Amino acid sequence: MRANEVKSPELAGKEVTVRGWVHRLRKQKENAFVLLRDDRGGVIQCVMSADKAAPLTIESSIEVTGTVSQDARAPEGGFEIKCSNLKIYNIAAEYPIGEYQSDELLLDKRHLALRTRRMIAITKIRASVLQHGRQWFVQNGWMEVTAPTIVKGAVEGGSTLFKLRYFDEDAYLSQSAQLYLEAMIFSLGPVWSLAPSFRAEKSRTVRHLAEFSHLEAEAPWFTLDDILKAEEQLVSYVIQNTIKERAEELAFLKRDVTDLKKVEPPFERVPYGKAIEILRARGFQSVVHEDGAKRAIEFGDDLSIESERELTKDADRPIFVVGYPLAVKPFYVKEDPDRPGLGLTADMLAPRGFGEITSGGQREDDINSITARMQKEGLDPNAYEWYLDLRRYGSVPHGGFGLGIERLVRWITDVQDIKDTVLFPRTMSRASP
Ligand code: NSS
């Protein structure tokens, strides 16, 4: 049985057996109080004689048999087990993680720290986000596909590529499945994939990982508007289902879900130019030099983490910033025929300062334009021969988007550091454990 199943008035006075680990331990003269954690992170207090508990240490693995007793004083739900038999699987060595630990130690010992109730709660929320994300695509008729992780070319710029030795040649870890999903829409229609993406991010921020879970979608004949509608429906669906399913975990994390309940389509569309005007009116500055030199933000600048924070800090629902300049976006973004120089592209920014969680738009479908854009970005079109074939043989208007699962989980859980949204984070300074 699991801990939460024991907490039922019908079981009071009955005998149960629960297996798990010693989460907390309070030894008194005659009795000992063991907070047992089961294999799904549920906890229940077990009371036993001090003699029985004598060998126990934190994280020892045990099986407790005893009678259920309903007692309002028992922590975690008012039930406890009066232990009649204790089976010990393993007496744990002195546990390195106590109640107050540095963030660094918790990362060094992540293989153990994932037993903390905070990490268990976050991971359960993450599981719901993944499940409902998949479910939205399946229910709406998109086909799941998988793209390769070992690739020959950049999608999101050369500076964040991880290079690897691939037999006798060089290859890279994929930054995005996008180009492969684009190849699939010609025969499979709307497609989606969930796979790791890799970015050699040199900056240490609370929202960048070197490896993240990327939920990506691509569909033929989709306009920018179609893409944004799919994105806002997907994100709303995931959030509404996750906050229902994980109310307990969100409460444990002290996450106030008032705002999240309001996340329903449509999300506000803010033209890029308007976003710049808002930021200028507030005296916002852009960093224009590596040494940190700043000047007033101008039309043409990319939106930094700080500017996204400024734009969304008072919002209670996500917004789309629509129509970024081509110059700050990759080669594949289609130019807006009505606004030369701007792209048919949008980022979804999460409210309360969380910032970008998705990026998507229409793709350049003309062979000459996309080749010119590659050259302008310093990419070698020869490395993209297969991709250019997609513009040679029956090219169609199309588009798609990518959503960072960790970014979405960070917003839903309201944890500050993206490293806490994944069990084994990969960053510039860490590839272990
Ligand atoms: O670089 S993106 O903005 N866009 C793409 O990769 C497109 N090729 C996706 C597509 O259209 N199929 O990344 C998309 C999202 C972005 O909005 C973030 O939510 C997330 O992926 N992302 C990251 N999450 C965590 N860490 C890092 N380093 C990261 N980079 C992007």
Side-chain angles (χ1 to χ4, degrees), residues 200-263:
E201 301 280 1
K202 309 254 164 35
S203 52
R204 280 172 216 259
T205 77
V206 293
R207 44 182 246 187
H208 286 93
L209 292 165
E211 176 177 357
F212 67 95
S213 294
H214 207 171
L215 186 57
E216 293 182 272
E218 197 73 27
W221 294 294
F222 261 44
T223 62
L224 179 61
D225 193 47
D226 296 330
I227 296 155
L228 300 194
K229 283 192 172 127
E231 288 186 37
E232 64 193 2
Q233 282 174 27
L234 164 70
V235 167
S236 303
Y237 178 89
V238 168
I239 289 189
Q240 294 316 320
N241 283 289
T242 299
I243 61 175
K244 256 186 235 136
E245 190 168 277
R246 297 300 178 192
E248 202 181 299
E249 287 75 16
L250 288 159
F252 179 84
L253 296 172
K254 301 194 167 61
R255 171 54 152 132
D256 176 352
V257 294
T258 315
D259 282 359
L260 294 178
K261 283 190 180 149
K262 294 187 214 152
V263 178

Side-chain angles (χ1 to χ4, degrees), residues 222-410:
F222 261 44
T223 62
L224 179 61
D225 193 47
D226 296 330
I227 296 155
L228 300 194
K229 283 192 172 127
E231 288 186 37
E232 64 193 2
Q233 282 174 27
L234 164 70
V235 167
S236 303
Y237 178 89
V238 168
I239 289 189
Q240 294 316 320
N241 283 289
T242 299
I243 61 175
K244 256 186 235 136
E245 190 168 277
R246 297 300 178 192
E248 202 181 299
E249 287 75 16
L250 288 159
F252 179 84
L253 296 172
K254 301 194 167 61
R255 171 54 152 132
D256 176 352
V257 294
T258 315
D259 282 359
L260 294 178
K261 283 190 180 149
K262 294 187 214 152
V263 178
E264 289 291 349
F267 301 167
E268 190 187 348
R269 276 99 167 126
V270 181
Y272 163 83
K274 169 130 183 270
I276 296 292
E277 267 173 38
I278 295 171
L279 292 167
R280 273 185 82 88
R282 295 189 196 165
F284 206 79
Q285 299 202 306
S286 265
V287 177
V288 287
H289 197 268
E290 280 165 18
D291 68 8
K294 289 184 175 179
R295 60 147 167 73
I297 191 165
E298 284 173 9
F299 194 95
D301 290 348
D302 201 0
L303 296 185
S304 62
I305 293 185
E306 294 73 27
S307 47
E308 287 183 5
R309 192 177 297 134
E310 180 66 27
L311 281 173
T312 61
K313 68 180 197 306
D314 300 322
D316 56 3
R317 302 185 332 137
I319 60 167
F320 284 114
V321 175
V322 185
Y324 287 78
L326 292 178
V328 302
K329 288 286 177 186
F331 67 91
Y332 56 71
V333 170
K334 188 173 172 67
E335 187 165 15
D336 185 341
D338 299 329
R339 297 178 191 77
L342 301 185
L344 291 171
T345 178
D347 287 2
M348 186 195 296
L349 310 185
R352 308 285 180 213
F354 277 97
E356 181 187 337
I357 51 174
T358 79
S359 185
Q362 265 177 256
R363 319 304 189 189
E364 182 49 73
D365 45 51
D366 175 73
I367 181 89
N368 296 323
S369 309
I370 203 160
T371 313
R373 294 273 300 286
M374 284 176 165
Q375 278 157 346
K376 211 168 173 186
E377 269 196 35
L379 297 170
D380 176 8
N382 291 325
Y384 295 85
E385 259 313 292
W386 69 265
Y387 180 69
L388 293 175
D389 270 356
L390 309 178
R391 272 67 179 163
R392 289 189 187 108
Y393 303 108
S395 188
V396 284
H398 66 285
F401 64 91
L403 176 154
I405 292 290
E406 290 78 7
R407 296 265 181 102
L408 178 57
V409 173
R410 179 173 167 253

Side-chain angles (χ1 to χ4, degrees), residues 59 95-97 106 109-116 424 433:
E59 289 304 320
Y95 199 57
I97 300 177
L106 288 173
K109 303 277 181 209
R110 194 54 157 243
H111 51 294
L112 300 175
L114 60 86
R115 302 179 190 188
T116 59
F424 295 102

